[in-house]
Amino acid sequence: MEIQWPLILFTFFNCLASGIFLVQGILTLAGKGKAMQLASCVSAIVALAVGGLAVFFHLENPLRMLNGFGHITSGITIELIFVIIFGIAVVLYFLMMRRSEEGVAPKWCAILAIVVSVALPFATGDSYLMAAIPVWDTMLLPVYYVTATVMLGGLAAMIIAGATKAEDAVKLSSTIGFIGTVCVAIVTVVYAVAISGMGESYTTMEYYFDPTLPDVPMRGAEAAVTGAIITGQHAVAFWLGAIVIGCVAPTIVSFLAMTGKIAADKVLVAAVIAIACAIIGTIVWRVLLYEVAVNALIQFQWAN
């Protein structure tokens, strides 16, 4: 199995869309961000649409995707259900905002926004849990997607607030972004450590080479798969890409904005830099999960 860029983009844009709507819901509950409501709704729908478009490129014949919808418990069906619910919630928020005399969506819409924005990334991550790929078969995967949603949402909200001159939303948005980036850093490191301890998931199979290619050297699961992230061949990408660039840099920027070191009227440029770093980090981590899953899946298939 090679790296599936359409699925990487699908999960990324799902988290981005959910994050934008999540933060807007929080801002609405806090009585802030009135000027950025429309921009947030449009941004969330656009991100959701781009993610949905990307997933169609996963199959050579996109229509084959429809075959999975016949099974209500299949991952693709669950994802579709939550995507539709999320889309309806965004449209409902927009309609109620337009209907309101104050031009602000009611509190129950904000609560709904928060609920669906957490549910979508969690359901997306849960759909990838499978025993055939032990490094994915952990609740750390959906937890990572939820924390990435908070991080991307906070940073994206900083950009939207800066672009729409919603200065009252900058501090809260940056606070959410700061919390999100710290949580992503923690979850990512914990996940990497957990993967490094999954060697027994493969060594207990007692198959380390392809039976059809007996001249191929034996493979060590710890060195080639589970130990490749923290200290192995993927260590540079992990520590530099996913942690330093993807978490530390956005954390610093969001902290400065949260504490007022970056003026609210000048937060736009800083937020763009921060989310660019966060995007690099979250894409790198998704790619690494495929890299170790590729090796692990090959060993799992050989064992059967």
Side-chain angles (χ1 to χ4, degrees):
M1 181 179 68
E2 62 185 18
I3 296 173
Q4 300 297 316
W5 283 105
L7 295 184
I8 289 177
L9 294 177
F10 169 69
T11 58
F12 165 73
F13 280 106
N14 263 10
C15 289
L16 179 60
S18 300
I20 293 171
F21 198 39
L22 168 68
V23 177
Q24 185 57 57
I26 295 174
L27 289 171
T28 301
L29 277 181
K32 302 179 183 297
K34 176 182 177 180
M36 56 186 284
Q37 290 179 108
L38 177 59
S40 293
C41 289
V42 172
S43 299
I45 286 294
V46 169
L48 189 70
V50 172
L53 181 64
V55 79
F56 276 95
F57 292 96
H58 175 55
L59 298 177
E60 191 171 308
N61 183 355
L63 293 179
R64 291 177 183 170
M65 187 183 299
L66 300 176
N67 296 332
F69 297 151
H71 306 280
I72 191 65
T73 58
S74 69
I76 193 171
T77 303
I78 293 174
E79 287 174 340
L80 176 65
I81 291 173
F82 278 90
V83 165
I84 292 175
I85 293 175
F86 180 86
I88 292 174
V90 175
V91 172
L92 182 60
Y93 181 99
F94 170 75
L95 293 176
M96 295 305 296
M97 174 196 72
R98 298 287 294 193
R99 183 179 180 182
S100 172
E101 294 182 358
E102 295 80 15
V104 179
K107 301 296 184 182
W108 66 265
C109 278
I111 295 173
L112 177 63
I114 295 171
V115 172
V116 299
S117 297
V118 173
L120 177 57
F122 187 89
T124 300
D126 184 72
S127 69
Y128 286 92
L129 303 185
M130 54 189 78
I133 308 180
V135 295
W136 289 2
D137 195 29
T138 167
M139 288 306 296
L140 286 170
L141 183 58
V143 169
Y144 171 78
Y145 282 164
V146 172
T147 55
T149 292
V150 177
M151 173 184 70
L152 293 171
L155 298 177
M158 289 170 63
I159 295 175
I160 296 173
T164 59
K165 308 299 181 182
E167 296 184 5
D168 64 323
V170 171
K171 184 174 182 179
L172 182 54
S173 297
S174 57
T175 300
I176 296 171
F178 174 76
I179 294 172
T181 52
V182 171
C183 289
V184 167
I186 293 172
V187 172
T188 303
V189 172
V190 170
Y191 199 168
V193 171
I195 290 175
S196 69
M198 292 180 181
E200 292 185 359
S201 299
Y202 309 102
T203 57
T204 53
M205 295 176 184
E206 298 180 357
Y207 285 89
Y208 306 92
F209 62 92
D210 188 342
T212 65
L213 299 172
D215 58 331
V216 175
M218 295 176 67
R219 299 166 60 93
E222 287 83 355
V225 183
T226 58
I229 292 183
I230 295 181
T231 59
Q233 61 180 322
H234 302 308
V236 174
F238 172 70
W239 290 110
L240 179 60
I243 301 301
V244 176
I245 296 177
C247 294
V248 175
T251 298
I252 293 173
V253 173
S254 56
F255 177 78
L256 292 176
M258 177 182 68
T259 55
K261 303 297 183 181
I262 299 177
D265 59 343
K266 298 180 180 179
V267 75
L268 180 59
V269 174
V272 170
I273 295 173
I275 200 169
C277 292
I279 290 173
I280 292 173
T282 192
I283 294 297
V284 166
W285 179 242
R286 284 168 165 81
V287 169
L288 290 179
L289 288 180
Y290 268 96
E291 286 288 349
V292 294
V294 169
N295 294 332
L297 181 58
I298 290 173
Q299 293 199 39
F300 189 93
Q301 289 176 331
W302 288 344
N304 285 288

